[in-house]
Amino acid sequence: MPELPEVETVRRGLTLAMEGVVITQADVNRPDLRWPFPVDMAARLTGKRVERLRRRSKYILMDLDSGETLLVHLGMSGRMLVSGDPLGQFVHRHPAPEKHDHVVFHMANNARITFNDPRRFGAMDLMETASADAHKLLAVLGPEPLGNDFHESHLIAAFKNKNSPVKSVLLDQRIVSGLGNIYVCEALFRAKIHPTRKAGKISGARVAGLVPIIREVLAEAIEAGGSSLRDFRQADGELGYFQHSFDAYGREGDPCKRSGCTGQIRRIVQSGRSSFYCTQCQR
Ligand SMILES: [Zn+2]
């Protein structure tokens, strides 16, 4: 499932192919994904210029010159493929249509962007740009982890008196938006905090220390995604999935990477999701 760094990488890749460019034709090949598509979606996209591509949490927001914004969520398995850009950023031939190509954007610069999603947990919606923040999916979101509203006193206040594990508090999108399972595991490893520790029992200093660590973990992953964008001229034109090494996530049974620590990475399940942590240095 794509997390914030993957979505940011998709946004950056789409920006290269779409920003400032008119959508000459939009193909909408089915009535819905997770939810029904908005009424007349193909007509509302066709002939519109993409002014700007933004990201809020794990949503990509495409501002159009019609005054509407297209919201895109990749869901569990959504992929964006870019092909045929004459500017040389993307030199891939247009692929043959595939079964799960649900939405295709044909751009005036000859780029083609294909949204393929076998499991159809993805979503698209159209809204007025001026009131985009009030969209039901966006209005409930807490601060962006890389934005100015996410800071030490915000997190300390959010942790205060919380009886739930630190892991679930960090996954709560109202407290910080866009953080998912992988990067919470990584941040807790770096902060040496055990994932089951009750949030309210962690000292203010340690909670404050999580803020720069969360930013650092995400920034490093976004940087890895940026490298993948530079490489993908040679790859298949698919945006957003890249090789990135983790310290804890997916390393069950492996020795801890922290220098001087002789612990081992263990996996437990919390609220149905895997947590990976070091048995020795995370307290
Ligand atoms: Zn360790």
Side-chain angles (χ1 to χ4, degrees):
M1 173 169 1
E3 291 209 22
L4 189 152
E6 287 78 15
V7 176
E8 175 61 17
T9 302
V10 172
R11 186 194 69 81
R12 290 180 183 189
L14 292 179
T15 299
L16 296 171
M18 299 182 90
E19 207 163 76
V21 183
V22 169
I23 302 167
T24 48
Q25 187 191 323
D27 302 334
V28 178
N29 297 330
R30 53 174 298 115
D32 57 8
L33 291 171
R34 185 169 190 174
W35 299 295
F37 283 129
V39 178
D40 295 332
M41 182 163 109
R44 286 157 77 183
L45 296 173
T46 296
K48 309 303 185 295
R49 191 174 64 242
V50 177
E51 303 276 32
R52 197 157 69 113
L53 279 146
R54 301 179 282 139
R55 181 186 55 74
R56 175 76 171 105
S57 184
K58 295 197 276 186
Y59 300 97
I60 293 169
L61 300 173
M62 206 181 283
D63 295 338
L64 307 171
D65 66 353
S66 58
E68 288 199 300
T69 293
L70 178 71
L71 171 146
V72 178
H73 190 242
L74 299 171
M76 310 277 285
S77 58
R79 301 182 302 145
M80 286 285 189
L81 286 122
V82 178
S83 55
D85 185 338
L87 303 174
Q89 300 278 4
F90 306 93
V91 293
H92 315 288
R93 286 190 192 169
H94 296 315
E98 286 186 35
K99 191 175 173 198
H100 304 291
D101 291 350
H102 305 311
V103 180
V104 182
F105 303 88
H106 303 264
M107 305 303 294
N109 61 1
N110 200 33
R112 183 188 295 173
I113 292 90
T114 303
F115 181 73
N116 180 291
D117 184 6
R119 297 179 66 184
R120 299 204 303 268
F121 280 105
M124 288 193 192
D125 201 4
L126 275 163
M127 64 193 105
E128 281 187 35
T129 305
S131 55
D133 289 346
H135 189 277
K136 62 179 190 295
L137 294 172
L138 306 182
V140 293
L141 297 174
E144 285 288 316
L146 296 169
N148 292 335
D149 294 335
F150 181 64
H151 46 65
E152 279 87 350
S153 46
H154 165 75
L155 205 58
I156 290 170
F159 272 48
K160 203 168 185 201
N161 301 326
K162 281 258 166 34
N163 219 10
S164 38
V166 55
K167 171 123 188 268
S168 15
V169 174
L170 290 176
L171 284 174
D172 184 339
Q173 302 297 299
R174 295 165 299 182
I175 290 170
V176 50
S177 70
L179 263 193
N181 197 40
I182 295 176
Y183 296 102
V184 167
C185 286
E186 291 296 292
L188 289 175
F189 173 81
R190 244 177 243 197
K192 301 189 190 178
I193 298 174
H194 197 289
T196 63
R197 179 165 284 273
K198 287 189 170 52
K201 301 277 188 206
I202 304 171
S203 74
R206 296 185 85 200
V207 176
L210 271 169
V211 171
I213 287 172
I214 287 168
R215 291 178 186 273
E216 183 182 274
V217 162
L218 292 173
E220 284 172 17
I222 288 170
E223 176 53 35
S227 314
S228 80
L229 279 182
R230 288 187 287 277
D231 293 342
F232 92 145
R233 267 166 267 192
Q234 285 82 42
D236 57 2
E238 179 176 335
L239 298 175
Y241 295 86
F242 49 85
Q243 290 294 317
H244 187 48
S245 63
F246 299 115
D247 289 335
Y249 187 82
R251 298 190 65 244
E252 183 177 15
D254 289 353
C256 177
K257 283 190 181 177
R258 199 186 308 278
S259 86
C261 179
T262 55
Q264 212 180 41
I265 303 298
R266 175 178 293 173
R267 183 180 78 94
I268 53 169
V269 176
Q270 290 180 277
S271 309
R273 283 188 271 197
S274 291
S275 294
F276 297 88
Y277 68 97
C278 173
T279 48
Q280 201 158 312
C281 61
Q282 286 180 251
R283 297 287 160 193

